[in-house]
Short mmCIF file of all heavy atoms in Angstrom, two decimals:
data_model
loop_
_atom_site.label_atom_id
_atom_site.label_comp_id
_atom_site.label_asym_id
_atom_site.label_seq_id
_atom_site.Cartn_x
_atom_site.Cartn_y
_atom_site.Cartn_z
N LEU A 65 39.12 -1.14 -25.48
CA LEU A 65 38.15 -0.77 -26.52
C LEU A 65 38.25 -1.72 -27.70
O LEU A 65 37.23 -2.14 -28.27
CB LEU A 65 38.38 0.67 -26.98
CG LEU A 65 37.42 1.18 -28.07
CD1 LEU A 65 35.97 1.04 -27.64
CD2 LEU A 65 37.75 2.62 -28.43
N LEU A 66 39.47 -2.10 -28.07
CA LEU A 66 39.67 -3.05 -29.16
C LEU A 66 39.00 -4.39 -28.84
O LEU A 66 38.25 -4.93 -29.66
CB LEU A 66 41.16 -3.25 -29.42
CG LEU A 66 41.55 -4.34 -30.43
CD1 LEU A 66 40.97 -4.04 -31.81
CD2 LEU A 66 43.06 -4.47 -30.51
N ILE A 67 39.24 -4.91 -27.64
CA ILE A 67 38.65 -6.19 -27.25
C ILE A 67 37.14 -6.09 -27.21
O ILE A 67 36.41 -6.97 -27.72
CB ILE A 67 39.19 -6.64 -25.87
CG1 ILE A 67 40.71 -6.80 -25.89
CG2 ILE A 67 38.51 -7.93 -25.43
CD1 ILE A 67 41.24 -7.81 -26.85
N ALA A 68 36.61 -5.02 -26.62
CA ALA A 68 35.17 -4.84 -26.51
C ALA A 68 34.52 -4.74 -27.89
O ALA A 68 33.43 -5.28 -28.11
CB ALA A 68 34.86 -3.59 -25.69
N THR A 69 35.19 -4.08 -28.82
CA THR A 69 34.62 -3.93 -30.16
C THR A 69 34.62 -5.26 -30.90
O THR A 69 33.67 -5.58 -31.62
CB THR A 69 35.40 -2.87 -30.96
OG1 THR A 69 35.48 -1.66 -30.20
CG2 THR A 69 34.70 -2.57 -32.27
N ILE A 70 35.66 -6.06 -30.72
CA ILE A 70 35.67 -7.40 -31.30
C ILE A 70 34.51 -8.22 -30.75
O ILE A 70 33.81 -8.92 -31.48
CB ILE A 70 37.02 -8.10 -31.02
CG1 ILE A 70 38.15 -7.44 -31.82
CG2 ILE A 70 36.94 -9.59 -31.38
CD1 ILE A 70 39.54 -7.95 -31.49
N LEU A 71 34.27 -8.11 -29.44
CA LEU A 71 33.18 -8.85 -28.81
C LEU A 71 31.81 -8.37 -29.27
O LEU A 71 30.84 -9.12 -29.24
CB LEU A 71 33.28 -8.72 -27.29
CG LEU A 71 34.46 -9.39 -26.60
CD1 LEU A 71 34.46 -9.09 -25.11
CD2 LEU A 71 34.44 -10.91 -26.83
N SER A 72 31.72 -7.12 -29.72
CA SER A 72 30.42 -6.54 -30.06
C SER A 72 29.87 -7.02 -31.39
O SER A 72 28.71 -6.72 -31.72
CB SER A 72 30.52 -5.01 -30.06
OG SER A 72 31.27 -4.54 -31.18
N ALA A 73 30.66 -7.73 -32.17
CA ALA A 73 30.17 -8.25 -33.46
C ALA A 73 28.99 -9.18 -33.23
O ALA A 73 29.07 -10.13 -32.44
CB ALA A 73 31.29 -8.98 -34.18
N GLN A 74 27.87 -8.90 -33.87
CA GLN A 74 26.65 -9.71 -33.75
C GLN A 74 26.20 -9.82 -32.29
O GLN A 74 25.68 -10.83 -31.86
CB GLN A 74 26.87 -11.11 -34.33
CG GLN A 74 27.32 -11.13 -35.78
CD GLN A 74 26.31 -10.50 -36.71
OE1 GLN A 74 25.12 -10.80 -36.63
NE2 GLN A 74 26.75 -9.63 -37.61
N CYS A 75 26.42 -8.74 -31.53
CA CYS A 75 26.09 -8.74 -30.11
C CYS A 75 25.78 -7.31 -29.68
O CYS A 75 26.36 -6.37 -30.23
CB CYS A 75 27.25 -9.32 -29.29
SG CYS A 75 26.98 -9.35 -27.51
N THR A 76 24.90 -7.14 -28.71
CA THR A 76 24.58 -5.80 -28.25
C THR A 76 25.70 -5.25 -27.35
O THR A 76 26.39 -6.01 -26.67
CB THR A 76 23.27 -5.79 -27.44
OG1 THR A 76 23.44 -6.55 -26.24
CG2 THR A 76 22.12 -6.37 -28.26
N ASP A 77 25.84 -3.93 -27.35
CA ASP A 77 26.82 -3.30 -26.47
C ASP A 77 26.49 -3.58 -25.01
O ASP A 77 27.39 -3.74 -24.18
CB ASP A 77 26.84 -1.78 -26.71
CG ASP A 77 27.40 -1.42 -28.08
OD1 ASP A 77 27.99 -2.30 -28.74
OD2 ASP A 77 27.26 -0.25 -28.49
N GLU A 78 25.21 -3.64 -24.70
CA GLU A 78 24.79 -3.92 -23.32
C GLU A 78 25.32 -5.27 -22.86
O GLU A 78 25.82 -5.41 -21.74
CB GLU A 78 23.27 -3.89 -23.23
CG GLU A 78 22.73 -4.14 -21.83
CD GLU A 78 21.21 -4.16 -21.76
OE1 GLU A 78 20.57 -4.11 -22.85
OE2 GLU A 78 20.67 -4.24 -20.65
N ARG A 79 25.20 -6.26 -23.70
CA ARG A 79 25.70 -7.60 -23.35
C ARG A 79 27.22 -7.59 -23.19
O ARG A 79 27.75 -8.19 -22.27
CB ARG A 79 25.29 -8.60 -24.44
CG ARG A 79 25.93 -9.96 -24.33
CD ARG A 79 25.56 -10.68 -23.05
NE ARG A 79 24.14 -10.95 -22.95
CZ ARG A 79 23.58 -11.53 -21.89
NH1 ARG A 79 24.33 -11.87 -20.86
NH2 ARG A 79 22.28 -11.76 -21.87
N VAL A 80 27.91 -6.91 -24.09
CA VAL A 80 29.37 -6.82 -23.99
C VAL A 80 29.76 -6.18 -22.66
O VAL A 80 30.68 -6.64 -21.98
CB VAL A 80 29.95 -6.02 -25.17
CG1 VAL A 80 31.45 -5.78 -24.97
CG2 VAL A 80 29.72 -6.76 -26.48
#
Side-chain angles (χ1 to χ4, degrees):
L65 180 56
L66 173 61
I67 300 300
T69 308
I70 291 173
L71 292 176
S72 72
Q74 304 298 313
C75 179
T76 65
D77 292 347
E78 181 182 7
R79 170 62 63 182
V80 173

